[in-house]
Amino acid sequence: MSDHTDTPVRSTSTASDTTTGNVAPTIKARDDVDGCGCLECRNIEATATRRSVLDALVWSVRLFRSYPSIVVFAGVIILANRLLETDAINVLPMPAISVFEILTGFAFIILIRAYVGTIVAGELTGNPVTRREGLRRSIARTPALVGVIILTVVSVLTIPFLLVLPLLVLVGMIPGNPVDLLGFPVVAAVGGIAFAVPFLFLLFKIWFALEACVIGQYGPLKSFRVSWRITTNYRGKFFLIGVIVIGSALSLFLPTYVPEMGTSLAPLNPVLSIISSSVSELLSIVWASAYAHIYIQGIVS
């Protein structure tokens, strides 16, 4: 008896070309598929490939209404995060709290980008995935996800620094102190822009590596190449996603502060801060579903 109790957004009796029963589907690029990789053989409706970003978000909201387990799982982790941020568990030693924070943070990544992505892949291929199979796929891909995260951190920090290094050497060759000559705001702005531009570009290009790793079951390096390719082929849509991603990332920080008189920021009331952080994390689930949807659109086109 299947443990799937949620009602899918849509159902069909035809399984995708890479799945049978309730096994989580694997959606790769057409060149990486054994046999025919057309939409019909993959059981992906053409309408799914034509949805806009807004349509994908609306579809994601409907998905969560059909799969309340997603919100439940996210709620448990969000509650754990809020407890770790307060003194509610101050009986634990600091090393233990740090370990729990790392575990809940990674669990949230798995839930948001792996579990949700697996559910989305099942829905778009007409093969709804059970909660058990969704978690099984997420856990099975954990080692590869760790590799993707490590490569992401190393790449977005190391490569921009290497690109900025010649500028730093050039500045060091200028007689006198550049800060005295140009002023600290100018030097800081030039240095920040020189680092931020390649940083954001790389982050944008490899943003879908997690979806490629989970839904496509690619290795870390191959996931990067897949993400790079689909963001190149669909610059317009993914540029919009990149802008929204930056806004989403800022929303995790800025809502906890309010402007004071002048330019400084003052912390919100602790209760409002907790509510704001929790709502932002819940909204990130909707975006995770949209990311998975857009990855599938890009990879099958």
mmCIF file of all heavy atoms in Angstrom, residues 206-228:
data_model
loop_
_atom_site.group_PDB
_atom_site.id
_atom_site.type_symbol
_atom_site.label_atom_id
_atom_site.label_comp_id
_atom_site.label_asym_id
_atom_site.label_seq_id
_atom_site.Cartn_x
_atom_site.Cartn_y
_atom_site.Cartn_z
ATOM 1 N N ILE A 206 25.725 28.979 -11.766
ATOM 2 C CA ILE A 206 25.699 27.639 -11.158
ATOM 3 C C ILE A 206 24.512 27.480 -10.204
ATOM 4 O O ILE A 206 24.466 26.517 -9.429
ATOM 5 C CB ILE A 206 27.017 27.362 -10.396
ATOM 6 C CG1 ILE A 206 27.226 28.362 -9.257
ATOM 7 C CG2 ILE A 206 28.192 27.408 -11.349
ATOM 8 C CD1 ILE A 206 28.507 28.142 -8.461
ATOM 9 N N TRP A 207 23.541 28.387 -10.301
ATOM 10 C CA TRP A 207 22.428 28.361 -9.359
ATOM 11 C C TRP A 207 21.615 27.076 -9.452
ATOM 12 O O TRP A 207 21.068 26.605 -8.457
ATOM 13 C CB TRP A 207 21.529 29.571 -9.587
ATOM 14 C CG TRP A 207 20.464 29.726 -8.557
ATOM 15 C CD1 TRP A 207 19.149 29.397 -8.656
ATOM 16 C CD2 TRP A 207 20.655 30.213 -7.226
ATOM 17 N NE1 TRP A 207 18.490 29.673 -7.486
ATOM 18 C CE2 TRP A 207 19.403 30.171 -6.581
ATOM 19 C CE3 TRP A 207 21.768 30.692 -6.527
ATOM 20 C CZ2 TRP A 207 19.240 30.592 -5.276
ATOM 21 C CZ3 TRP A 207 21.592 31.100 -5.220
ATOM 22 C CH2 TRP A 207 20.342 31.049 -4.611
ATOM 23 N N PHE A 208 21.503 26.482 -10.637
ATOM 24 C CA PHE A 208 20.683 25.290 -10.827
ATOM 25 C C PHE A 208 21.488 23.996 -10.709
ATOM 26 O O PHE A 208 21.004 22.931 -11.096
ATOM 27 C CB PHE A 208 19.969 25.360 -12.172
ATOM 28 C CG PHE A 208 18.972 26.463 -12.255
ATOM 29 C CD1 PHE A 208 19.336 27.704 -12.755
ATOM 30 C CD2 PHE A 208 17.668 26.295 -11.809
ATOM 31 C CE1 PHE A 208 18.419 28.742 -12.815
ATOM 32 C CE2 PHE A 208 16.749 27.330 -11.861
ATOM 33 C CZ PHE A 208 17.129 28.553 -12.375
ATOM 34 N N ALA A 209 22.713 24.088 -10.185
ATOM 35 C CA ALA A 209 23.529 22.893 -10.020
ATOM 36 C C ALA A 209 22.890 21.927 -9.022
ATOM 37 O O ALA A 209 22.989 20.701 -9.177
ATOM 38 C CB ALA A 209 24.932 23.268 -9.561
ATOM 39 N N LEU A 210 22.226 22.447 -7.995
ATOM 40 C CA LEU A 210 21.583 21.571 -7.014
ATOM 41 C C LEU A 210 20.434 20.797 -7.655
ATOM 42 O O LEU A 210 20.247 19.611 -7.381
ATOM 43 C CB LEU A 210 21.077 22.387 -5.822
ATOM 44 C CG LEU A 210 22.148 22.913 -4.857
ATOM 45 C CD1 LEU A 210 21.517 23.795 -3.805
ATOM 46 C CD2 LEU A 210 22.884 21.764 -4.202
ATOM 47 N N GLU A 211 19.655 21.458 -8.509
ATOM 48 C CA GLU A 211 18.578 20.753 -9.207
ATOM 49 C C GLU A 211 19.141 19.699 -10.154
ATOM 50 O O GLU A 211 18.607 18.592 -10.258
ATOM 51 C CB GLU A 211 17.720 21.753 -10.000
ATOM 52 C CG GLU A 211 16.684 22.483 -9.173
ATOM 53 C CD GLU A 211 17.277 23.504 -8.235
ATOM 54 O OE1 GLU A 211 18.314 24.102 -8.582
ATOM 55 O OE2 GLU A 211 16.709 23.724 -7.146
ATOM 56 N N ALA A 212 20.220 20.045 -10.852
ATOM 57 C CA ALA A 212 20.844 19.070 -11.751
ATOM 58 C C ALA A 212 21.366 17.873 -10.973
ATOM 59 O O ALA A 212 21.277 16.730 -11.431
ATOM 60 C CB ALA A 212 21.980 19.738 -12.531
ATOM 61 N N CYS A 213 21.892 18.129 -9.779
ATOM 62 C CA CYS A 213 22.435 17.059 -8.945
ATOM 63 C C CYS A 213 21.335 16.128 -8.450
ATOM 64 O O CYS A 213 21.510 14.899 -8.433
ATOM 65 C CB CYS A 213 23.189 17.669 -7.763
ATOM 66 S SG CYS A 213 23.891 16.460 -6.626
ATOM 67 N N VAL A 214 20.184 16.692 -8.053
ATOM 68 C CA VAL A 214 19.110 15.879 -7.470
ATOM 69 C C VAL A 214 18.196 15.311 -8.549
ATOM 70 O O VAL A 214 17.987 14.100 -8.631
ATOM 71 C CB VAL A 214 18.288 16.710 -6.463
ATOM 72 C CG1 VAL A 214 17.110 15.897 -5.929
ATOM 73 C CG2 VAL A 214 19.165 17.168 -5.320
ATOM 74 N N ILE A 215 17.651 16.187 -9.390
ATOM 75 C CA ILE A 215 16.668 15.744 -10.381
ATOM 76 C C ILE A 215 17.342 15.009 -11.529
ATOM 77 O O ILE A 215 16.817 14.010 -12.025
ATOM 78 C CB ILE A 215 15.862 16.949 -10.907
ATOM 79 C CG1 ILE A 215 15.155 17.658 -9.743
ATOM 80 C CG2 ILE A 215 14.846 16.504 -11.939
ATOM 81 C CD1 ILE A 215 14.446 18.936 -10.144
ATOM 82 N N GLY A 216 18.512 15.504 -11.956
ATOM 83 C CA GLY A 216 19.217 14.847 -13.047
ATOM 84 C C GLY A 216 20.183 13.770 -12.584
ATOM 85 O O GLY A 216 20.705 13.023 -13.409
ATOM 86 N N GLN A 217 20.464 13.709 -11.283
ATOM 87 C CA GLN A 217 21.404 12.757 -10.699
ATOM 88 C C GLN A 217 22.776 12.856 -11.354
ATOM 89 O O GLN A 217 23.449 11.849 -11.595
ATOM 90 C CB GLN A 217 20.863 11.320 -10.777
ATOM 91 C CG GLN A 217 19.601 11.091 -9.979
ATOM 92 C CD GLN A 217 19.383 9.653 -9.583
ATOM 93 O OE1 GLN A 217 20.090 9.107 -8.739
ATOM 94 N NE2 GLN A 217 18.407 9.004 -10.201
ATOM 95 N N TYR A 218 23.185 14.092 -11.646
ATOM 96 C CA TYR A 218 24.528 14.341 -12.150
ATOM 97 C C TYR A 218 25.494 14.466 -10.977
ATOM 98 O O TYR A 218 25.103 14.791 -9.859
ATOM 99 C CB TYR A 218 24.566 15.638 -12.958
ATOM 100 C CG TYR A 218 23.845 15.589 -14.281
ATOM 101 C CD1 TYR A 218 22.652 16.284 -14.479
ATOM 102 C CD2 TYR A 218 24.373 14.874 -15.353
ATOM 103 C CE1 TYR A 218 22.000 16.260 -15.703
ATOM 104 C CE2 TYR A 218 23.719 14.840 -16.580
ATOM 105 C CZ TYR A 218 22.535 15.533 -16.751
ATOM 106 O OH TYR A 218 21.897 15.508 -17.955
ATOM 107 N N GLY A 219 26.773 14.230 -11.242
ATOM 108 C CA GLY A 219 27.803 14.487 -10.254
ATOM 109 C C GLY A 219 28.011 15.976 -10.084
ATOM 110 O O GLY A 219 27.510 16.788 -10.870
ATOM 111 N N PRO A 220 28.791 16.391 -9.074
ATOM 112 C CA PRO A 220 28.980 17.828 -8.818
ATOM 113 C C PRO A 220 29.510 18.605 -10.014
ATOM 114 O O PRO A 220 28.961 19.651 -10.372
ATOM 115 C CB PRO A 220 29.968 17.840 -7.641
ATOM 116 C CG PRO A 220 29.703 16.553 -6.929
ATOM 117 C CD PRO A 220 29.385 15.561 -8.008
ATOM 118 N N LEU A 221 30.580 18.138 -10.654
ATOM 119 C CA LEU A 221 31.156 18.866 -11.779
ATOM 120 C C LEU A 221 30.200 18.908 -12.961
ATOM 121 O O LEU A 221 30.028 19.953 -13.604
ATOM 122 C CB LEU A 221 32.488 18.231 -12.188
ATOM 123 C CG LEU A 221 33.659 18.438 -11.214
ATOM 124 C CD1 LEU A 221 34.884 17.678 -11.695
ATOM 125 C CD2 LEU A 221 33.982 19.924 -11.060
ATOM 126 N N LYS A 222 29.576 17.790 -13.261
ATOM 127 C CA LYS A 222 28.620 17.750 -14.361
ATOM 128 C C LYS A 222 27.424 18.635 -14.060
ATOM 129 O O LYS A 222 26.867 19.288 -14.958
ATOM 130 C CB LYS A 222 28.172 16.305 -14.600
ATOM 131 C CG LYS A 222 27.180 16.149 -15.758
ATOM 132 C CD LYS A 222 27.788 16.510 -17.088
ATOM 133 C CE LYS A 222 26.826 16.184 -18.218
ATOM 134 N NZ LYS A 222 27.375 16.559 -19.542
ATOM 135 N N SER A 223 27.004 18.697 -12.809
ATOM 136 C CA SER A 223 25.891 19.576 -12.420
ATOM 137 C C SER A 223 26.225 21.021 -12.717
ATOM 138 O O SER A 223 25.370 21.788 -13.178
ATOM 139 C CB SER A 223 25.577 19.402 -10.927
ATOM 140 O OG SER A 223 25.133 18.095 -10.638
ATOM 141 N N PHE A 224 27.483 21.415 -12.467
ATOM 142 C CA PHE A 224 27.903 22.785 -12.773
ATOM 143 C C PHE A 224 27.824 23.042 -14.274
ATOM 144 O O PHE A 224 27.363 24.103 -14.705
ATOM 145 C CB PHE A 224 29.337 23.002 -12.279
ATOM 146 C CG PHE A 224 29.425 23.429 -10.838
ATOM 147 C CD1 PHE A 224 28.547 22.942 -9.891
ATOM 148 C CD2 PHE A 224 30.391 24.331 -10.428
ATOM 149 C CE1 PHE A 224 28.617 23.322 -8.570
ATOM 150 C CE2 PHE A 224 30.480 24.730 -9.097
ATOM 151 C CZ PHE A 224 29.599 24.231 -8.170
ATOM 152 N N ARG A 225 28.283 22.092 -15.068
ATOM 153 C CA ARG A 225 28.263 22.279 -16.520
ATOM 154 C C ARG A 225 26.827 22.364 -17.037
ATOM 155 O O ARG A 225 26.531 23.167 -17.930
ATOM 156 C CB ARG A 225 29.017 21.142 -17.209
ATOM 157 C CG ARG A 225 30.524 21.189 -16.988
ATOM 158 C CD ARG A 225 31.251 20.310 -17.978
ATOM 159 N NE ARG A 225 30.987 18.900 -17.729
ATOM 160 C CZ ARG A 225 31.733 18.121 -16.962
ATOM 161 N NH1 ARG A 225 32.797 18.624 -16.346
ATOM 162 N NH2 ARG A 225 31.445 16.849 -16.803
ATOM 163 N N VAL A 226 25.945 21.535 -16.487
ATOM 164 C CA VAL A 226 24.542 21.562 -16.911
ATOM 165 C C VAL A 226 23.903 22.898 -16.562
ATOM 166 O O VAL A 226 23.214 23.514 -17.378
ATOM 167 C CB VAL A 226 23.766 20.401 -16.258
ATOM 168 C CG1 VAL A 226 22.264 20.572 -16.462
ATOM 169 C CG2 VAL A 226 24.221 19.064 -16.837
ATOM 170 N N SER A 227 24.124 23.376 -15.337
ATOM 171 C CA SER A 227 23.567 24.658 -14.919
ATOM 172 C C SER A 227 24.119 25.789 -15.786
ATOM 173 O O SER A 227 23.385 26.693 -16.195
ATOM 174 C CB SER A 227 23.893 24.924 -13.447
ATOM 175 O OG SER A 227 23.407 26.177 -13.026
ATOM 176 N N TRP A 228 25.401 25.734 -16.091
ATOM 177 C CA TRP A 228 26.024 26.767 -16.922
ATOM 178 C C TRP A 228 25.380 26.795 -18.300
ATOM 179 O O TRP A 228 25.116 27.853 -18.856
ATOM 180 C CB TRP A 228 27.521 26.491 -17.039
ATOM 181 C CG TRP A 228 28.313 27.644 -17.574
ATOM 182 C CD1 TRP A 228 28.414 28.043 -18.876
ATOM 183 C CD2 TRP A 228 29.111 28.550 -16.804
ATOM 184 N NE1 TRP A 228 29.226 29.128 -18.983
ATOM 185 C CE2 TRP A 228 29.673 29.472 -17.730
ATOM 186 C CE3 TRP A 228 29.414 28.668 -15.450
ATOM 187 C CZ2 TRP A 228 30.526 30.497 -17.323
ATOM 188 C CZ3 TRP A 228 30.255 29.677 -15.047
ATOM 189 C CH2 TRP A 228 30.790 30.578 -15.972
#
